[in-house]
Amino acid sequence: MKPWVKLVILAAALAVCIGACFLIVDLANNTEEQHDDPENAVIGKYGSDIVNFTYVYGGVSTEFRLVNYSWVNSSDEDMPLRQDDLDSLAKLIRDGASSVRLVDDSGSLVDSEDFGLSSPALTITASDGSVSQTMYIGAYNSAFSAYYARMEGSGEVHLIDESIPRAFMKDVFELAVSAESYPEYGYQDITRIRLFDGDLEREMTWSEGGSPKLYTDYYTWFEQNASGEYDALRTSAMTVLCENLTAFGDIVCVDYAPDRAALEAYGLAGSERGFDITYIGEVDVENDVGIETQEAEIELEVVFSEADENGVCFMMWTGNDMVYRVSAETADAVLSYVSADLTPDEVCAIQLESVESLKVSYNGAEINVVRTEKSITDANGDTTVTNVFTANGAVVDSTNINTFYDGLLALKVEGRADAGSWQENMTPYMTVEFSRNTESFSRMTLFVYEYSVNFYRVSFNGEDDILVSIRDIDNMGDAILKTLKN
């Protein structure tokens, strides 16, 4: 082929490609009429502060008016309102909506179903006292993260920033009611818990310092059994429960001062699902010098409805006449404890701070560990207390001893030995003898025996059927043996 023929063919191909590109761009531009409009970067802007506004969302119309510098709900002037939030909404309206782009200025597309403006999702009418305007907001355009909107009396359709629509597309109670915040208290402030769910009920009590009947002060939560004795409850589980009793951040107010019929509709009239607690909080007490804040025991009762088909519960609490929506998952995180097994699963809960010395016999070796405390004061005058260990009379690095003891505290009851499988006079696989600085239980011994290919059998504190992981015991033994190699 001659060179000039090749050039002609290449030129023709290039022309086709360029034409196709222009065609694609033209098609893209005509999919939606778009016009840059820098002169209308903001639509619906006011010259003064807003004094009243009405919004219609979900078929509900709500009007707020500024009266003596406070916002009121025109249909219920006694409704408590979040003034700061309403101030923020009024400011959003006053500053207008940022126009992402002008879609159409001919007026021919105002009622287009594609824009959702023939049946607006949201309508906002507001006045600054001299000028009143209405904005209609339609469908959402995910490509621009913006909503179609137009002002009343205008043929222009804009894509506007989503800040105004998002702020108003909420239930009136979620938006405006002064949803009294859930009482503030920490999980460590709770001293009593009663859970109830229909016929099920459970009451738990916290005791500072635990119980003198136990060998350890690790357990601080108890419940009374059928014999009138108090059983210890698993500390880790009770910590989670107490945290769940404070974690209601997902609640949303849905009603204000409901009547009996409304409470029945929410499933809260005479509800027997919930909890009541006692916690240490602060109260204002009036005395001769004025108002003084004091610590006091405060009681709080919370009730839940049954969950609906969407996994939603409703809740209320004492001293607050509002109804809140909460996830069934959040409610169940509390109520599941009414029938949960909270029996402690720690094999040995002797805290290291109570141990003066311990003797470990393992794999033919005997390691006598003595713990003392050393105070160190830094240049700032801050004092820290550290443990100093000796093993068989020699000062040793604390790493391996801490690894051994951490493993001891982490031992969990993996199961129970079968009755009749116990053989007396067996030689222990490992023993740990504790000498403690406590008035009672000052001498205690933990025995470990071989049992099966997966478990060792432990005898400690009156129980001799405890099964623990072989790997956990052997890791402890390896760690304590390393102290002899320092």
Side-chain angles (χ1 to χ4, degrees), residues 196-199 263-274 303-315 324-329 331-332 335:
F196 51 94
D197 189 357
D199 295 334
L263 286 176
E264 289 178 352
Y266 288 120
L268 290 171
S271 172
E272 296 181 357
R273 301 182 75 230
V303 293
F304 298 104
S305 70
E306 296 285 351
D308 64 17
E309 65 277 7
N310 298 314
V312 172
C313 289
F314 297 99
M315 66 181 286
Y324 298 82
R325 182 175 66 244
V326 65
S327 69
E329 182 180 3
D332 289 344
L335 295 180

Side-chain angles (χ1 to χ4, degrees), residues 87-140:
D87 286 341
S88 297
L89 293 176
K91 184 178 183 301
L92 275 176
I93 299 172
R94 182 198 67 192
D95 294 343
S98 298
S99 175
V100 174
R101 64 175 50 201
L102 176 63
V103 177
D104 175 63
D105 61 0
S106 66
S108 60
L109 299 180
V110 165
D111 294 327
S112 170
E113 293 184 0
D114 294 336
F115 298 146
L117 291 171
S118 56
S119 299
L122 174 67
T123 301
I124 302 173
T125 301
S127 171
D128 62 1
S130 58
V131 176
S132 178
Q133 300 182 103
T134 299
M135 178 184 293
Y136 302 101
I137 297 170
Y140 182 68

